[in-house]
Each structure stands twice: as structure tokens, then as C-alpha cells.
């Protein structure tokens, strides 16, 4: 006989699966353009250098959307706000598929990013409302893991769809996924009774809180490290295709294969992020380990003598970055104390500012130097600087590693 408790547990399980799959589908928007830069450059009769801005436009929009919807969640019911955000995301994504003009595509990508920025802050807020305390950590982890996995899946998705159809189909199929997500959201996710205190929300200036957290001495090193993470990750994959075309005369099929092996590093990092290992090592030590490994992977990638060696280095790089991301969330939340939720919001904004700047700067370096290995050295150096910053982080209630 199925009890009420069993029914609730089944609902929580389906909700976790829903949040996991939705975070992947939203997250792929950040990375789907990386394999398409050359194709879009040919479509718009522009250099590949200029099409890089289409990727950065989404990341910039995402940071703005995360900030905007985090603020709006203080005034509106979270489920309705998320339904609106996902509907706009489907609309903007479909429009991107019809954009045969560079300016329209740039606008579509910005608004696509702003709309996508609704998912993470609102999903975390909904989880806080509807999940019991003993299941919240696992539910939040499904969202975080989905976004991490999207970094590889997004590139494979756009490469595969483009090989079968064309670049427009990538956005049209994605828009269909968002509409499907919209349907499941309306059916699966219960409406929580939000206690919206307009007076309290007005008294507490959201943006002033963010600024205070940004300059907080305990959090500033964390945010500086955060800025380097997606900066390095998106930059790495932006330059990797051209690097392998130049050094090893790779075909597009070979590059798709190369992107996919990063999943090995990602799965290994997710295993290392288990509560048992975090409890044994501590998030600060794991953060240092991830930064050291990813920095070494990027540096050795620049001097790869063989394809196999390069593939191993790219896997190590992905392993390191994937390991770092949940550790940073844990550290930021711990250091911020009672302001942990707002601090994590700021963490995500800083993270995507890095994703915005990374492709632009490495593209500038490649354009000026014509050296496709130099960006890997710059990425490695940046991660080394982040590694040194970890020694200024003093964990609350924990001896420094």
C-alpha cells in the first residue's frame, strides 16, 4: 500500500529529475555557440573574431537576468515568475534561430541570456520553499550538477544538430525543449505560499547588500577566484578548436570527439564532490587541488606533442574546473553566514561576468599574436593567481588547509 509519505518522496524525486534536466537545457545556452562561431561567421559574412561576441552577449545577459530575477523574486510569486522567464526564454531562443542578421542575433542572445537568468535564483528559492530541510541540499546539488554537465553537453548538442540539419535547428529544437519544460513546471511544481513583505523588501536595498558583500574582506578573495573560473573554461573551449585545427589538422568530427571526452573529467569531479570526500578533505583543500590541476592541464595543453596527450590534458582541465565550482558555492555560503543566499547570487553574477570577458580577451590575444597556444598559458597563469588567493581565505570554524 502506497502511503502519503511514499507519494511525497516520489514527488520530490520527480522534482529533482525535473530541476536536473531543466538546468542542463538552460545551461547549454551558454556553450552551444562555441562550435558555431565559424558557421555563423560565414552566415553573417563576418570574421570569426566578431562572432565571439554572440557568446559573450548571452553570458552578460545571464548575469543581468540573474540579478534582475533575484530582485523580482522579493515581490512576485516565484513559480509564476519562473513560468514567465522560461516562456520568454523559449521565445527569444526561437527568434535566434530566425536571425539571419548579426544585429538581430546579438539582441536575441542578450535577451536569451536575461531570460535564462531566471532559472537558477528562482529554482533555488522554490526548492527552499517546497522541499523539507533534509532534502534541500540534494535538490540544490541537482541544479548545480546540471549546469556543470551543460558545459560539455551544450557543445555536443549544437555540433550534433548542426551536422544533421543546420545552425538554426539548434535554436528551434532548444525552444521546443523550453516549452516542454514550461508544461512540466506548471504540472509538477506546486505553488508555494510566498510571504511577500513589500515593506521589508523596500527597506532592505538588494543592490546595496550585493555591493557590501563584494567588498567584504572575507568574501573578496572568493569572488576574485570566481571571476577566473568560467573566464578560463569558456576561453579554453573557445580556442581549443582552432588550436587542434592548426596543430593537428583536425576535422570537425575529430573536434566533436575531443569535446566529448571532457565528460570523463566531469564525472570524476562530481564523484570527488561527494559529501564523504568533502567532509574528509574540506572544501578549501579541494578548491586548491582543483585550481592546481586545471592550471597544470591548461599549461601542458599549450605544449601538447600528441593528440592523446592533449586529450588527457583537456580532461584534467575539465576535472579541475568542475571540482572547483561546487567548492566555491560552499565556501561563499559559509563565509557569508546568514547572508549566504545573497552571497551565492553575487557569486553567480561574477561567474558569468567572467564567462562574458573570457572569449573576448582570448580572441584579442589570438588576433594580435596568431599564437593559438598562448591563450592556454594565460589561462594557466590566471588559475595560478587564483591558487595563491586561496591562502588568504580563512575558513570559519575550520583550520586553514
Amino acid at each position: 500500500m502506497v502511503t502519503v509519505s511514499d507519494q511525497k518522496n516520489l514527488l520530490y524525486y520527480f522534482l529533482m529529475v525535473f530541476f536536473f534536466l531543466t538546468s542542463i537545457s538552460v545551461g547549454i545556452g551558454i556553450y552551444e555557440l562555441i562550435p558555431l562561431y565559424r558557421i555563423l561567421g560565414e552566415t553573417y559574412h563576418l570574421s570569426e573574431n566578431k562572432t565571439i561576441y554572440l557568446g559573450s552577449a548571452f553570458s552578460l545577459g545571464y548575469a543581468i537576468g540573474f540579478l534582475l530575477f533575484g530582485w523580482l523574486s522579493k515581490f512576485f510569486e516565484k513559480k509564476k515568475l519562473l513560468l514567465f522567464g522560461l516562456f520568454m526564454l523559449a521565445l527569444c531562443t526561437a527568434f535566434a534561430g530566425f536571425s539571419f542578421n548579426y544585429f538581430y542575433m546579438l539582441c536575441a542572445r542578450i535577451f536569451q541570456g536575461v531570460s535564462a537568468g531566471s532559472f537558477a535564483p528562482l529554482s533555488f528559492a522554490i526548492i527552499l520553499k517546497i522541499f523539507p530541510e533534509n532534502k534541500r541540499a540534494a535538490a540544490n546539488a541537482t541544479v548545480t550538477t546540471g549546469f556543470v554537465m551543460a558545459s560539455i553537453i551544450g557543445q555536443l548538442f549544437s555540433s550534433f544538430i548542426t551536422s544533421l540539419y543546420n545552425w538554426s535547428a539548434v535554436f528551434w529544437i532548444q525552444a521546443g525543449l523550453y516549452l516542454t519544460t514550461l508544461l512540466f513546471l506548471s504540472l509538477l511544481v506546486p505553488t508555494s505560499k510566498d510571504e511577500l513583505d513589500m515593506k521589508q523588501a523596500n527597506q532592505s536595498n538588494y543592490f546595496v547588500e550585493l555591493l557590501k558583500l563584494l567588498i567584504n574582506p572575507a568574501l573578496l578573495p572568493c569572488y576574485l577566484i570566481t571571476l577566473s573560473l568560467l573566464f578560463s573554461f569558456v576561453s579554453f573551449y573557445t580556442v581549443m578548436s582552432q588550436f587542434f585545427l592548426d596543430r593537428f589538422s583536425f576535422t570537425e568530427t575529430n573536434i566533436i570527439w575531443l569535446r566529448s571526452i571532457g565528460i570523463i573529467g566531469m564525472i570524476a569531479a562530481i564523484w570527488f564532490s561527494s559529501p564523504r570526500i568533502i567532509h574528509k578533505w574540506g572544501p578549501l583543500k579541494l578548491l586548491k587541488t582543483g585550481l592546481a590541476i586545471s592550471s597544470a592541464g591548461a599549461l601542458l595543453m599549450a605544449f601538447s606533442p600528441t593528440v592523446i596527450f592533449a586529450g588527457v590534458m583537456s580532461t584534467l582541465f575539465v576535472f579541475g574546473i568542475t571540482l572547483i565550482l561546487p567548492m566555491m558555492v560552499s565556501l561563499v555560503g559559509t563565509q557569508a553566514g546568514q547572508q549566504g543566499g545573497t552571497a551565492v547570487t553575487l557569486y553567480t553574477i561574477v561567474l558569468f561576468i567572467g564567462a562574458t570577458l573570457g572569449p573576448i580577451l582570448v580572441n584579442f590575444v589570438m588576433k594580435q599574436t596568431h599564437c593559438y597556444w598562448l591563450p592556454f598559458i594565460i589561462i594557466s597563469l590566471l588559475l595560478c593567481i587564483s591558487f595563491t588567493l586561496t591562502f588568504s581565505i580563512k575558513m570559519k570554524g575550520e583550520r586553514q588547509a
Side-chain angles (χ1 to χ4, degrees), residues 351-362:
L351 194 68
F352 283 94
I353 289 173
T356 302
L357 298 175
I360 295 172
L361 293 180
V362 297

Side-chain angles (χ1 to χ4, degrees), residues 40-242:
L40 290 173
E42 293 172 356
T43 301
Y44 299 131
H45 306 292
L46 298 169
S47 66
E48 188 174 329
N49 298 330
K50 198 170 182 180
T51 59
I52 296 284
Y53 292 109
L54 295 175
S56 295
F58 183 97
S59 299
L60 178 61
Y62 190 97
I64 294 170
F66 201 103
L67 183 65
L68 175 64
F69 282 97
W71 175 68
L72 288 174
S73 66
K74 294 177 177 288
F75 304 98
F76 299 96
E77 185 186 313
K78 294 170 181 62
K79 179 180 175 180
K80 289 181 179 178
L81 198 57
L82 184 54
L83 284 168
F84 171 76
L86 289 176
F87 174 75
M88 292 304 297
L89 178 57
L91 200 64
C92 295
T93 304
F95 181 74
F98 290 103
S99 300
F100 292 99
N101 175 286
Y102 178 76
F103 175 76
Y104 291 144
M105 173 61 93
L106 194 65
C107 293
R109 288 290 291 173
I110 292 172
F111 286 107
Q112 189 186 5
V114 171
S115 303
S118 66
F119 177 72
L122 293 173
S123 62
F124 286 136
I126 289 170
I127 286 169
L128 184 65
K129 288 285 184 181
I130 66 177
F131 276 81
E133 189 173 352
N134 64 331
K135 295 183 185 296
R136 286 174 193 163
N140 285 330
T142 61
V143 177
T144 305
T145 303
F147 272 113
V148 170
M149 295 191 71
S151 62
I152 301 295
I153 294 173
Q155 298 178 64
L156 297 178
F157 169 77
S158 62
S159 297
F160 179 71
I161 298 299
T162 305
S163 67
L164 290 179
Y165 306 105
N166 54 48
W167 67 264
S168 294
V170 173
F171 297 100
W172 296 336
I173 292 172
Q174 199 179 350
L177 288 175
Y178 295 142
L179 290 176
T180 305
T181 298
L182 201 65
L183 175 64
F184 278 101
L185 172 64
S186 61
L187 295 175
L188 271 180
V189 178
T191 301
S192 61
K193 294 180 179 179
D194 295 333
E195 298 177 0
L196 301 172
D197 189 340
M198 298 288 286
K199 185 178 179 181
Q200 183 180 359
N202 285 326
Q203 287 176 348
S204 177
N205 193 312
Y206 181 67
F207 301 104
V208 171
E209 286 180 27
L210 291 176
L211 181 60
K212 287 180 179 178
L213 287 169
L214 183 62
I215 60 176
N216 185 320
L219 288 167
L220 185 57
C222 296
Y223 289 132
L224 290 173
I225 294 168
T226 298
L227 187 65
S228 72
L229 299 182
L230 283 193
F231 180 104
S232 300
F233 192 90
V234 178
S235 298
F236 186 94
Y237 275 100
T238 298
V239 73
M240 192 173 71
S241 297
Q242 193 58 54

Side-chain angles (χ1 to χ4, degrees), residues 294-361:
S294 57
S295 178
L299 179 63
L300 294 173
M301 184 77 166
F303 304 103
S304 299
T306 65
V307 171
I308 293 176
F309 184 85
V312 172
M313 290 307 104
S314 69
T315 302
L316 284 177
F317 175 81
V318 171
F319 171 83
I321 295 294
T322 307
L323 180 63
I324 293 165
L325 291 171
M327 298 309 113
M328 285 306 307
V329 173
S330 176
L331 285 168
V332 167
T334 301
Q335 299 295 84
Q338 293 182 344
Q339 293 179 293
T342 308
V344 171
T345 297
L346 181 58
Y347 156 84
T348 308
I349 294 166
V350 173
L351 194 68
F352 283 94
I353 289 173
T356 302
L357 298 175
I360 295 172
L361 293 180

